[in-house]
Amino acid sequence: RTVMSVNEAKKIAARTAVDQFVKPGMVVGVGSGSTIVFAAERLGERKKEENLDVICIPTSFQSRQLILENGLTLGDLSSHYEIDVCIDGADEIDTALNCIKGGGGCHVQEKIVAWCSKVLVLVADSSKRSQVLGEKWTKGIPLEVISFAYVPIMKQLEKMGGKPV
């Protein structure tokens, strides 16, 4: 039995997600993070090999760059607000399929693109799997707060026993 590296597992998971869920003519949300690099590469390969025609909606600056680098068609939510499938990563996923997302700093965009998607596919290797959230992702729960609401949200988090940073 051979031991697979984390990067090999991420690559297989991302490529499988693209192959199983992305069909010609779809609008595809392209998430953020290390695993999504492999998904964007696979979308680019399929475009070259099969002439796959999809419109890609990025969740971050990183995914926008990946879309362009892989020769994919870049779209946005103003013209493509209904997304067929979004492929994204997660920071941690528990046994009930609850997840922590946004640790990379693209929280709001990721959530909006996921909300606009008919199907959300979270791609993660086994290092992201836990029994209970917070078991592996120990950096706290990512929140993105608009400046207008900064003080009230910080105060509410403190009332709830949180330690905002």
Side-chain angles (χ1 to χ4, degrees):
R1 181 178 165 209
T2 60
V3 176
M4 188 180 305
S5 75
V6 171
N7 252 6
E8 290 170 318
K10 288 179 180 187
K11 185 173 185 175
I12 290 169
R15 293 174 66 87
T16 300
V18 168
D19 290 346
Q20 286 186 0
F21 289 94
V22 177
K23 308 290 182 242
M26 283 186 155
V27 177
V28 179
V30 178
S32 306
S34 58
T35 305
I36 300 309
V37 172
F38 300 117
E41 287 174 358
R42 181 62 183 145
L43 285 167
E45 288 172 8
R46 287 188 58 194
K47 180 171 182 168
K48 287 177 189 155
E49 295 166 3
E50 307 164 25
N51 201 23
L52 180 68
D53 180 32
V54 294
I55 296 170
C56 298
I57 311 298
T59 65
S60 66
F61 179 78
Q62 176 210 22
S63 56
R64 182 184 189 283
Q65 294 306 110
L66 289 169
I67 289 164
L68 296 174
E69 287 169 9
N70 286 284
L72 301 163
T73 303
L74 178 65
D76 62 41
L77 289 176
S78 62
S79 55
H80 299 91
Y81 50 86
E82 290 183 350
I83 299 170
D84 295 299
V85 63
C86 178
I87 299 176
D88 204 350
D91 299 306
E92 185 176 19
I93 302 174
D94 71 11
T95 55
L97 299 181
N98 297 305
C99 68
I100 295 175
K101 291 193 48 48
C106 316
H107 201 209
V108 170
Q109 267 184 261
E110 286 180 345
K111 293 272 186 168
I112 292 169
V113 171
W115 183 77
C116 291
S117 300
K118 295 173 190 168
V119 176
L120 173 62
V121 179
L122 294 177
V123 182
D125 64 88
S126 62
S127 72
K128 308 290 177 101
R129 185 174 42 208
S130 67
Q131 293 296 311
V132 182
L133 292 182
E135 191 175 271
K136 296 198 176 169
W137 180 263
T138 57
K139 300 176 187 177
I141 302 298
L143 295 176
E144 191 167 342
V145 179
I146 58 173
S147 58
F148 173 78
Y150 171 73
V151 172
I153 289 176
M154 294 291 273
K155 297 297 180 194
Q156 183 61 39
L157 289 171
E158 288 167 359
K159 282 182 193 174
M160 294 168 62
K163 295 181 177 103
V165 291

